[in-house]
Amino acid sequence: EAGVVQSPRYKIIEKKQPVAFWCNPISGHNTLYWYLQNLGQGPELLIRYENEEAVDDSQLPKDRFSAERLKGVDSTLKIQPAELGDSAVYLCASSPGGGGTDTQYFGPGTRLTVL
Amino acid sequence: AQKITQTQPGMFVQEKEAVTLDCTYDTSDPSYGLFWYKQPSSGEMIFLIYQGSYDQQNATEGRYSLNFQKARKSANLVISASQLGDSAMYFCAMRDYGGSQGNLIFGKGTKLSVKP
């Protein structure tokens, strides 16, 4: 079974430029998460989707960040414009949903460097 | 508010020895789950083990076991017979099933280094 796929793995951009990250979850997983991981810290949730619906985006900086999951499968996270402080690893995770343990499985992440 | 505390920024262990990574948590919700993840230098978070708050027995998965002490709000990860490939960051996480909509809260992690 394929795991969570993310691309690109690495991205270097200059500040004020836009950037987008793509995630394809594990097949059949209804719940998709985007996390931000700063150096030396644990991941922090940005947004959670249940199918197409963003059920928790309270931690997403909406002035510059946006996300979509149009068909309830893959998802895109966008930053426009990027700032120096956005340099971090962006992790995507998925889980089956529906309660219970609902373990989250993570992709390899996208390491963003903003110059 | 929920909180996860990992007090050991770094740990060293000799190959083939056992090691315990500490994790304490805080929540007011009686229903919650505790997770441990491994993050090697490649960056991917790998799920290791899960313990539910109502589970009567400590969880075990191969060389991983979770020392769950509910009254002390601790959920320490024990790795037996350490291997060189165990060198990585280890994160403790909690998910409560109450007001936070079940989101995962992570600690800051412990960097484990296994010495040959």
Side-chain angles (χ1 to χ4, degrees):
Chain A
E1 178 182 282
V4 177
V5 179
Q6 288 188 249
S7 69
R9 290 294 314 276
Y10 304 91
K11 189 73 176 179
I12 301 174
I13 61 172
E14 294 188 347
K15 64 180 181 181
K16 300 185 181 179
Q17 293 300 304
V19 65
F21 315 125
W22 177 81
C23 172
N24 187 255
I26 292 172
S27 178
H29 280 193
N30 296 324
T31 309
L32 184 146
Y33 313 77
W34 282 102
Y35 286 89
L36 166 69
Q37 186 177 22
N38 286 307
L39 189 65
Q41 303 291 320
E44 298 175 0
L45 182 73
L46 288 172
I47 189 168
R48 185 178 91 193
Y49 282 93
E50 300 283 351
N51 299 303
E52 303 89 356
E53 183 182 358
V55 297
D56 187 355
D57 63 356
S58 57
Q59 301 302 313
L60 189 72
K62 298 181 184 64
D63 56 338
R64 297 184 301 107
F65 286 66
S66 65
E68 61 183 13
R69 193 185 185 199
L70 293 176
K71 296 184 178 180
V73 180
D74 55 354
S75 175
T76 303
L77 177 68
K78 298 178 181 177
I79 308 175
Q80 182 171 11
E83 297 180 351
L84 295 176
D86 296 332
S87 295
V89 175
Y90 292 82
L91 292 164
C92 180
S94 70
S95 68
T101 304
D102 204 27
T103 299
Q104 295 181 27
Y105 296 91
F106 285 77
T110 296
R111 184 176 297 275
L112 174 67
T113 302
V114 182
L115 303 175
Chain B
Q2 305 85 24
K3 186 178 180 180
I4 291 283
T5 302
Q6 294 180 256
T7 58
Q8 306 154 313
M11 289 279 287
F12 288 91
V13 65
Q14 200 70 36
E15 191 178 11
K16 300 181 184 178
E17 297 291 316
V19 63
T20 297
L21 305 183
D22 294 342
C23 173
T24 58
Y25 60 91
D26 191 18
T27 180
S28 58
D29 200 297
S31 179
Y32 54 89
L34 296 155
F35 301 77
W36 277 92
Y37 285 85
K38 171 184 178 182
Q39 187 176 42
S41 57
S42 60
E44 184 172 353
M45 299 280 284
I46 302 168
F47 167 69
L48 296 178
I49 196 167
Y50 167 83
Q51 179 86 43
S53 59
Y54 295 118
D55 293 344
Q56 294 299 310
Q57 293 188 322
N58 287 343
T60 60
E61 288 286 348
R63 295 187 298 111
Y64 304 108
S65 60
L66 203 152
N67 184 1
F68 181 46
Q69 298 187 44
K70 194 171 183 177
R72 298 178 63 181
K73 293 190 174 180
S74 74
N76 298 339
L77 178 69
V78 181
I79 305 175
S80 63
S82 297
Q83 301 172 356
L84 295 179
D86 293 334
S87 294
M89 286 291 293
Y90 287 81
F91 290 93
C92 180
M94 177 177 67
R95 178 181 184 178
D96 73 51
Y97 298 100
S100 72
Q101 303 186 56
N103 292 328
L104 270 183
I105 307 297
F106 286 84
K108 291 188 175 183
T110 295
K111 184 176 182 178
L112 178 66
S113 299
V114 181
K115 298 185 291 185

